[in-house]
Amino acid sequence: MSGATIRSQDFDEKRFAGLLELAGPDTALELVERLEDDLRAVEAALSVVARTADMPTLQAQSHVLLGVAGTIGANRLFELAKGLNDVAHVAGSPFPGAMLVKTEVALARVIARIHAARTQLTRAP
């Protein structure tokens, strides 16, 4: 699997294409740029969370992922973010290290997919 390829059950290409179409040709590039920037910021924050077990930050970042993943059709990332968010809301929950690792892997794949769209839109006439 290439960096920009995600299994169809994990990423809804039709929903993502519909979002880009809705944005229109003048705004689609800006949209994917912002998506990539936002997801890279979450990726960096989750890297810190993995080292510090900072549950409030985990809660905030999983909330961001819920919104973005749901909007763009990143189904697997959405489900993982929901799990992290659920755990982060329960005081005294053990740190969800294994789930965080799975989320980071899924997030990297979605970032690669968004980056591929960004590259494609940058090359578009």
Side-chain angles (χ1 to χ4, degrees), residues 9-69:
Q9 66 268 29
D10 293 342
F11 192 87
D12 185 341
E13 288 290 345
K14 287 182 181 178
R15 186 181 318 164
F16 184 58
L19 180 65
L20 296 181
E21 186 178 319
L22 183 64
D26 295 334
T27 309
L29 179 58
E30 181 181 350
L31 175 62
V32 295
E33 287 171 345
R34 288 185 184 202
L35 285 169
E36 185 175 354
D37 291 347
D38 290 348
L39 291 173
R40 287 193 186 279
V42 170
E43 183 179 48
L46 290 181
S47 178
V48 172
V49 167
R51 293 189 311 272
T52 62
D54 180 349
M55 294 297 267
T57 299
L58 179 62
Q59 182 179 352
Q61 297 305 313
S62 63
H63 185 75
V64 171
L65 281 181
L66 282 169
V68 173

